[in-house]
Amino acid sequence: MMTKRLLVVGGALAALAVPAGVAVAATTSPSPGPKAPATTQPYGPGSGRMMGGTGDPQDCPYYNSPEMQKWREQRAERQQLAPADRQKLTEQMRDRMWSQRTGTTASS
């Protein structure tokens, strides 16, 4: 009879202790909050973004650069090229951007 009581009391204590322990652990360890952005600049070097971004494109320091204006003027011509030629231009651009990023020159 004594062992039955001991098992019942022990089981009840265990059943109450586990949720109480979880509740205490949840209140003592704060959950991680959202991280602050690495930079407040949506565009430009060091922004940490490969593509896209937020903000107004007009705020980008490269938006009205001579290279970008020339690129916009030639866009319609590029869209009329054959798919193979467009793929070749894409690969050339990728190589040029990669070499700028790594500081090397593309081998041709």
Side-chain angles (χ1 to χ4, degrees), residues 45-61:
S47 67
R49 294 189 177 105
M50 292 297 287
M51 294 179 59
T54 58
D56 187 9
Q58 299 286 335
D59 292 337
C60 176

Side-chain angles (χ1 to χ4, degrees), residues 3-20:
T3 56
K4 276 188 179 180
R5 273 192 200 161
L6 188 59
L7 287 174
V8 170
V9 171
L13 286 175
L16 294 174
V18 171

Side-chain angles (χ1 to χ4, degrees), residues 68-79:
M68 285 303 298
Q69 291 175 355
K70 182 180 175 185
W71 183 85
R72 284 188 203 101
E73 291 169 0
Q74 295 172 345
R75 183 184 305 167
E77 294 172 18
R78 287 191 306 273
Q79 296 299 318

Side-chain angles (χ1 to χ4, degrees), residues 19-104:
V22 171
V24 169
T27 59
T28 58
S29 61
S31 62
K35 290 186 176 182
T39 179
T40 57
Q41 298 175 349
Y43 299 102
S47 67
R49 294 189 177 105
M50 292 297 287
M51 294 179 59
T54 58
D56 187 9
Q58 299 286 335
D59 292 337
C60 176
Y62 306 110
Y63 186 77
N64 285 323
S65 67
E67 294 86 10
M68 285 303 298
Q69 291 175 355
K70 182 180 175 185
W71 183 85
R72 284 188 203 101
E73 291 169 0
Q74 295 172 345
R75 183 184 305 167
E77 294 172 18
R78 287 191 306 273
Q79 296 299 318
Q80 301 301 322
L81 293 174
D85 294 334
R86 289 177 65 183
Q87 180 65 32
K88 183 178 175 185
L89 282 176
T90 302
E91 290 172 3
Q92 289 173 352
M93 174 61 88
R94 186 179 302 125
D95 290 342
R96 185 168 55 238
M97 296 305 286
W98 183 255
S99 66
Q100 286 178 356
R101 180 176 178 201
T102 60
T104 60

